[in-house]
Amino acid sequence: MDTNDKLSLTTRSLHWIIAICFIALTAVGIYMANTESWSLYQLHKSIGIILFVVILLRVGWRIKKGWPAPVGQYQKIEQLMAKVTHWILLLGTMAMPITGMLYSGMSGHGFGIFGWTIVDGNHDPKNPGEVIPYNELLSAVGEQAHEIIGYTLVVAIVLHIAGACKHHLLDKDRTLLRMLGK
Ligand code: HEM
Ligand code: HEM
C-alpha cells in the first residue's frame, strides 16, 4: 500500500528499475546515434524491449492503485507541476520503446532480444549490406518521434530530479526518503 509516509516495495522497485535503465538507455541512444556505433544498437534495442515489459507493469500498477498522495500540503501550482511531470514521464516511458520498435521494424532493420528475432530485417537481395524499408513513412515517423520525445524527456527528467532535490534540501520533507524506502 502507498501511504503519505511510505511507498510500497512494488512502487519503489518499479520506479528505480525503470529510472536507472531509462537514463542509461537515453545516454547510450544519444551516444550510439551520434557516433554511429552500430555494435551498441542490438544491446539498446534488446534492453529497451525488456524494459517495455516492466514499464507496462508500472502503468498497470498506476491504473490499479492511482498516484501516491503528496507527503504534505503544497501550493496548487506545485502540485500541478508535479502531476504534469509525472504524467509526461509515465507516458514518455511508454512512447520510447513503441516508437523505437516502429522505427526499427518499419525501416527494415528489424529488432529482437539478444539474438531472438521479433521482427526480421528486410535485406536487399542485390546488396545484402543494405536494408529495404517495409514502410518509409512509418519508419520516418518512428525515427522522428523517438528522437523528439527522447530529448523532451531529458528536460522532463532534469526538472523531475530538480523537484526531488528541492523537496529534500529546501522543504526538508519525506518525498525523496519515502521513494528510497526510508
Ligand atoms: C525505454 C526505452 C528507450 C529509450 C529511453 C531510448 C532512447 C533513445 C535515444 C535518446 C536515442 C537517440 C535519438 C537520436 O539522437 O536519434 C535512441 C536512438 C535509437 N533507439 Fe532508442 N530508446 C529506447 C528503446 C528503443 C527500442 C525498444 C528500440 C528498437 C527496438 C530503439 C531503437 C533505437 C534506434 C534504432 C536508435 C538510433 C536512431 C538513429 O540512428 O537515428 N530504442 N534511443
Ligand atoms: C535520479 C533520478 C530520479 C530521482 C531522484 C527520482 C525521484 C523521485 C521521487 C522522490 C518521486 C516521488 C514523488 C512523489 O512522491 O510525489 C518520484 C516519482 C516518480 N518518478 Fe522519479 N526519480 C528519478 C528518475 C526518474 C525517471 C528517469 C523517471 C522516468 C523516466 C521517473 C518517473 C517517475 C514517476 C512516473 C513518478 C511518479 C510515481 C511513480 O509512478 O512511481 N523518475 N521520483
Side-chain angles (χ1 to χ4, degrees):
M1 259 281 280
D2 292 334
T3 66
N4 287 50
D5 192 46
K6 280 202 172 315
L7 293 178
S8 62
L9 182 63
T10 312
T11 289
R12 286 183 277 128
S13 310
L14 290 172
H15 177 269
W16 290 115
I17 292 168
I18 294 169
I20 290 164
C21 295
F22 200 88
I23 291 172
L25 279 172
T26 301
V28 170
I30 292 173
Y31 175 81
M32 71 183 200
N34 288 298
T35 57
E36 301 192 346
S37 309
W38 311 124
S39 58
L40 289 174
Y41 275 58
Q42 291 315 320
L43 182 73
H44 178 86
K45 294 181 193 183
S46 301
I47 297 181
I49 297 164
I50 295 170
L51 191 64
F52 186 41
V53 177
V54 186
I55 288 168
L56 288 175
L57 287 176
R58 200 241 204 116
V59 171
W61 182 247
R62 281 283 147 265
I63 291 171
K64 190 160 172 246
K65 297 282 175 184
W67 295 94
V71 297
Q73 294 287 329
Y74 301 104
Q75 289 181 341
K76 279 239 150 59
I77 179 76
E78 207 178 326
Q79 282 188 34
L80 184 72
M81 270 177 65
K83 187 127 260 171
V84 169
T85 314
H86 288 166
W87 269 106
I88 291 174
L89 292 174
L90 197 72
L91 294 177
T93 51
M94 294 269 289
M96 285 309 281
I98 291 173
T99 54
M101 288 187 278
L102 183 68
Y103 169 45
S104 294
M106 291 300 127
S107 66
H109 285 98
F111 60 83
I113 302 175
F114 296 114
W116 170 53
T117 304
I118 298 173
V119 172
D120 228 337
N122 191 24
H123 295 279
D124 185 348
K126 290 188 209 113
N127 188 355
E130 296 291 314
V131 290
I132 304 171
Y134 289 113
N135 184 314
E136 273 186 52
L137 177 66
L138 289 179
S139 163
V141 168
E143 182 180 18
Q144 288 296 312
H146 201 64
E147 186 172 352
I148 293 167
I149 298 169
Y151 282 100
T152 306
L153 285 177
V154 171
V155 178
I157 291 168
V158 169
L159 286 176
H160 177 64
I161 296 175
C165 292
K166 182 213 170 249
H167 277 290
H168 193 66
L169 300 172
L170 298 181
D171 302 338
K172 299 192 191 309
D173 65 23
R174 287 192 40 79
T175 304
L176 179 60
L177 291 176
R178 76 173 178 166
M179 189 48 100
L180 291 168
K182 303 229 159 118

